[in-house]
């Protein structure tokens, strides 16, 4: 990921990320393995203190579609049930099931 040019690649291929997808990925990469609530992501990535939290869920789903080998069984952007999401740069466990509801 290159924040200066706002470009990200995976396996040598440039990812076609929207503004918010890029910001979300950058936030996750800067805080690997930490668990982030949807409220925190809304505040820190979107800059909103309130809003529809499904916005975060939709963007996580779209980001997964672009960075995961199998978005239905994510390895990188993991759901921590009842809490939020975590970015696992090198997941060595079994991928979780879909994981849209955080």
């Amino acid at each position: 990921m290159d924040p200066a040019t706002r470009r990200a690649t995976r396996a040598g291929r440039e990812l076609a990320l929207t503004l918010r997808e890029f910001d979300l990925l950058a936030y996750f990469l800067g805080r690997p393995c930490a668990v982030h609530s949807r409220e925190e992501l809304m505040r820190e990535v979107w800059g909103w203190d309130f809003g529809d939290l499904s916005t975060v869920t939709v963007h996580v789903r779209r980001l997964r579609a672009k960075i995961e080998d199998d978005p239905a069984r994510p390895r990188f952007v993991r759901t921590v049930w009842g809490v939020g999401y975590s970015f696992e740069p090198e997941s060595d466990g079994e991928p979780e099931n879909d994981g849209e509801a955080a």
Side-chain angles (χ1 to χ4, degrees), residues 28 35 60 64 68 70-88 91-102:
F28 282 138
V35 178
V60 166
R64 283 176 171 158
E68 300 282 358
D70 181 359
R73 298 177 54 81
R75 286 184 29 224
F76 301 113
V77 181
R78 309 282 306 243
T79 297
V80 179
W81 293 105
V83 181
Y85 300 101
S86 176
F87 183 81
E88 305 291 333
S91 176
D92 56 0
E94 276 294 307
E96 67 174 280
N97 195 4
D98 189 316
E100 285 308 315

Side-chain angles (χ1 to χ4, degrees), residues 19-91:
L19 173 74
R20 288 294 182 228
E21 291 165 353
F22 184 92
D23 292 344
L24 185 59
L25 181 59
Y27 191 78
F28 282 138
L29 287 173
R31 296 150 192 84
C33 303
V35 178
H36 309 284
S37 68
R38 290 187 298 165
E39 293 86 358
E40 172 190 349
L41 294 170
M42 180 74 74
R43 184 177 57 253
E44 299 298 325
V45 176
W46 277 259
W48 301 345
D49 288 326
F50 60 90
D52 185 353
L53 295 178
S54 66
T55 297
V56 175
T57 305
V58 169
H59 280 79
V60 166
R61 182 175 52 233
R62 289 179 182 165
L63 180 61
R64 283 176 171 158
K66 294 178 181 182
I67 69 169
E68 300 282 358
D69 292 329
D70 181 359
R73 298 177 54 81
R75 286 184 29 224
F76 301 113
V77 181
R78 309 282 306 243
T79 297
V80 179
W81 293 105
V83 181
Y85 300 101
S86 176
F87 183 81
E88 305 291 333
E90 294 186 30
S91 176

